[in-house]
């Protein structure tokens, strides 16, 4: 019996290590895929832009020479050469656009429109969702309580304090992965996902209001930043709820300043305050105080 127990423990350990290796491999492959996609899109976009600029320069030169019309300044050989250049530029641009549209160069399927920043952001979002799915599976496999249901009871008039209290008492970080089941006190309804979505939506509207003393607005119409005198523990709870919104794919709305996400991601020193990209910092400042920017 003792030998069988030891053998069973060894098999379980090997099984766990195999699952961990698979999860690590999937996360690594997802990261590599999005980086390769970004590089491919950037290279193709640069090629298309260069060919378009060359075509425009040739067309401008053609119009200038036609407008001058001085003897000896423009002949049929010049016209023929420029027209050939324009035609070649158009063919290259069309071929490049065709490859971007149908993925013949980068093995991806794109819309007929030129590659946009929105496409790159969508690719990053899909990679993030895949990565989070791997982490969630690993957490729920390792921690039994992460598979439990998280019952969240809310009084609508006290929505923000109630939410912060639920997220203040988290004995273990893995419990953030639990699926929430929301009930509003005094209201009918069964949470099949709709009440949870409503809770996230209402929270990110309510928590930004001045009466809660957590966020402030620097300029009229600007996004909010954490208030300097806000309670640190309450802000930690807001951060935990923000993490829950990201993990469960719930929008936070336009109220929070983009700089908050830059800071939480740890890229504010290398990207926001980069002297080589001053306009990016001004863009974030414009988000909070357009007059000052």
């Amino acid at each position: 019996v003792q030998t069988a127990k030891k053998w069973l423990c060894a098999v379980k350990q090997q099984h766990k290590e195999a699952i961990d290796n698979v999860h690590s491999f999937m996360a690594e492959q997802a990261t590599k895929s999005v980086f390769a996609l970004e590089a491919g899109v950037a290279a193709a976009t640069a090629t298309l832009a260069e060919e378009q600029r060359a075509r425009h320069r040739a067309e401008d030169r053609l119009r200038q020479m036609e407008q001058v019309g001085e003897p000896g300044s423009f002949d049929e050989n010049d016209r023929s050469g420029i027209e050939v250049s324009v035609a070649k530029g158009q063919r290259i641009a069309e071929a490049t656009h065709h490859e971007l549209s149908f993925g013949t160069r980068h093995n991806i399927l794109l819309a007929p429109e030129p590659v946009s920043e929105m496409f790159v952001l969508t690719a990053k979002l899909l990679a993030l969702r895949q990565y989070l799915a791997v982490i969630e599976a690993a957490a729920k496999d390792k921690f039994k309580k992460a598979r439990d249901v998280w019952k969240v009871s809310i009084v609508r008039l006290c929505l923000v304090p109630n939410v912060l209290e639920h997220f203040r008492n988290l004995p273990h970080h893995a419990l953030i992965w639990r699926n929430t089941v929301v009930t509003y006190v005094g209201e009918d309804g069964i949470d099949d996902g709709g009440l949870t979505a409503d809770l996230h939506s209402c929270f990110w509207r309510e928590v930004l209001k001045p009466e809660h003393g957590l966020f402030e607005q620097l300029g009229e119409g600007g996004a909010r930043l954490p208030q300097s005198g806000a309670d640190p523990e309450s802000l930690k709870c807001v951060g935990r709820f923000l993490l829950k919104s990201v993990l469960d794919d719930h929008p936070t709305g336009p109220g929070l300043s983009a700089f908050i996400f830059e800071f939480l991601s740890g890229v504010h020193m290398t990207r926001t305050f980069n002297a080589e990209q001053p306009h990016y910092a001004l863009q974030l400042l414009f988000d909070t105080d357009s007059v000052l920017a």
Side-chain angles (χ1 to χ4, degrees):
V1 171
Q2 293 296 330
T3 302
K5 287 182 177 179
K6 291 181 181 179
W7 177 82
L8 181 59
C9 291
V11 170
K12 288 183 177 179
Q13 181 64 27
Q14 292 177 358
H15 177 67
K16 179 180 178 301
E17 291 177 355
I19 291 178
D20 291 342
N21 290 335
V22 170
H23 290 166
S24 300
F25 175 77
M26 291 177 64
E28 182 180 357
Q29 291 301 312
T31 304
K32 289 181 178 179
S33 297
V34 72
F35 285 160
L37 179 61
E38 289 180 14
V41 169
T45 305
T47 301
L48 178 60
E50 180 60 31
E51 296 301 337
Q52 289 177 340
R53 285 194 294 268
R55 184 186 63 184
H56 292 158
R57 286 195 299 268
E59 291 176 344
D60 291 341
R61 176 59 178 162
L62 180 60
R63 284 193 295 267
Q64 291 174 1
M65 297 179 71
E66 287 179 337
Q67 290 174 0
V68 172
E70 296 179 358
S73 63
F74 182 71
D75 56 25
E76 292 301 322
N77 291 333
D78 293 329
R79 177 188 293 275
S80 177
I82 292 176
E83 289 178 347
V84 170
S85 299
V86 171
K88 181 180 178 181
Q90 289 175 338
R91 288 195 300 271
I92 295 176
E94 291 172 358
T96 306
H97 181 72
H98 177 78
E99 292 185 6
L100 282 172
S101 302
F102 296 97
T104 56
R105 174 172 298 183
H106 303 291
N107 197 25
I108 54 177
L109 182 62
L110 304 178
E113 292 80 7
V115 177
S116 63
E117 182 182 3
M118 183 60 66
F119 172 81
V120 178
L121 293 176
T122 302
K124 290 182 178 181
L125 178 61
L126 292 176
L128 173 63
R129 299 310 312 166
Q130 183 179 4
Y131 176 69
L132 292 179
V134 171
I135 298 179
E136 180 181 10
K140 291 186 175 181
D141 180 67
K142 185 175 182 179
F143 300 101
K144 181 179 179 180
K145 289 188 176 181
R147 300 192 293 269
D148 294 343
V149 173
W150 189 357
K151 295 182 180 180
V152 180
S153 180
I154 300 294
V155 177
R156 193 175 287 276
L157 293 177
C158 304
L159 188 144
V160 172
N162 286 172
V163 169
L164 296 184
E165 192 62 30
H166 279 289
F167 280 80
R168 195 184 307 274
N169 303 316
L170 282 180
H172 195 277
H173 65 273
L175 298 180
I176 198 74
W177 291 103
R178 293 176 297 175
N179 294 326
T180 56
V181 175
V182 176
T183 57
Y184 286 105
V185 177
E187 299 182 17
D188 296 331
I190 299 176
D191 189 8
D192 287 330
L195 293 179
T196 293
D198 178 74
L199 175 63
H200 284 264
S201 177
C202 291
F203 178 84
W204 291 117
R205 288 197 307 268
E206 294 293 324
V207 75
L208 301 178
K209 293 182 177 179
E211 55 262 32
H212 298 293
L214 296 175
F215 292 90
E216 61 182 347
Q217 193 176 33
L218 300 183
E220 184 178 357
R224 273 77 168 178
L225 287 169
Q227 190 169 314
S228 57
D231 177 45
E233 291 301 319
S234 296
L235 286 178
K236 286 182 181 179
C237 297
V238 173
R240 290 172 182 169
F241 192 80
L242 175 62
L243 174 61
K244 185 62 174 173
S245 295
V246 173
L247 295 179
D248 293 352
D249 203 16
H250 291 289
T252 60
L256 292 176
S257 170
F259 180 74
I260 294 178
F261 299 94
E262 295 277 321
F263 183 84
L264 294 176
S265 302
V267 299
H268 59 290
M269 294 304 297
T270 58
R271 186 164 63 183
T272 306
F273 301 132
N274 187 345
E276 297 179 357
Q277 299 177 344
H279 289 91
Y280 186 71
L282 285 174
Q283 180 182 349
L284 292 179
L285 178 60
F286 184 86
D287 183 41
T288 57
D289 192 338
S290 58
V291 176
L292 180 59

